[in-house]
Amino acid sequence: MPTIAILVFPGVQALDVSGPLDVFAEANRFLPREQHYQLEVLGTERGAIRCSNGLPIMAHRHYGVATEAFDLLLVAGGPELPRMPRDEELLDWLRNAAKRSKKFGSICNGAFLLAHAGLLDGKHVTTHWNDAPGLAVMFPKIKVDADRIFLQDGNLYTSAGVTAGIDLSLYLLSNDAGPEVSLNVAKRLVVFMQRRGGQSQFSPYLTPYVEETSPASIAQQYVLAHLAEELNVENLATVVAMSARNFARIFVRDTKITPADFIESARLDAARALLEATSDPLKRVAYRCGFNNANQMRQVFVKRLGVTAMQYRANFAGFQKA
């Protein structure tokens, strides 16, 4: 029988634990008894462990007494995990447990624990979009992809935030037991078998992160106020009274993106807001945000978010359709 263990700690995100557990528990409904998953929760403390939402959970046992090999070892995440102090005893156990296990990985920012243990060096990983920059800065040897729902690198599996643990678990289940079992579980849990697009569609909108009085910030604010107009390096340089070449250099230096990339991102984010809040036709949304036409807007959505503008509206629209 395949064995799966999830490591939890005080402040753990409850869904990081219950989501994957429910996927594999539901799978047992469709599998012969000899193939049932054996699920176990390992705690960094004994007794009740309080989740970030206040829910107390009881681990089956303390991690220190778990010396066997697991088929899959997962580390859950939690809102405060990136700021928690190192626990060398726990990290030493994690290194050895990962080596013993056939597969190992993390849910959400549980990747930070794996990173502290040195288990992600040179690996291609993902984590919650909000924690991805911090992970990349703290651990420069890791290749962080902030836009993936989940990633596999050899026998290492990492997922994006919270509910992405379900996506990863369905993928692992499909590999283990076949796509039919995984599809049946997805239906039981009323979730997508495979979500379209990456994390970008869930992340916050564009925000200027430069000094307010700098030429780059002035140009950014001009772009945001004139999205429907023609925008290019030349006319933005005129706005800040600089040569086009010097302006482009300063803009990239201060914002780490080109003016063209910023303009496209600003138009995309404005379109996202309109698609969420209004029932305007796609053609009108495209016009208001400065796209040449609805098809160009669609192409930008697919390129940057992995979904079309229409699919984005279907996923996130807050208005009630007639």
Side-chain angles (χ1 to χ4, degrees), residues 121-138:
D121 288 354
K123 299 293 186 178
H124 194 192
V125 308
T126 193
T127 187
H128 192 291
W129 57 260
N130 194 49
D131 292 311
L135 184 66
V137 170
M138 288 179 64

Side-chain angles (χ1 to χ4, degrees), residues 202-238:
F202 303 98
S203 62
Y205 295 165
L206 182 71
T207 304
Y209 290 110
V210 291
E211 176 60 39
E212 289 185 4
T213 58
S214 72
S217 179
I218 294 171
Q220 287 177 326
Q221 296 305 322
Y222 182 87
V223 167
L224 296 175
H226 300 82
L227 288 175
E229 300 176 11
E230 182 179 354
L231 296 170
N232 53 45
V233 171
E234 287 71 22
N235 55 34
L236 291 182
T238 300

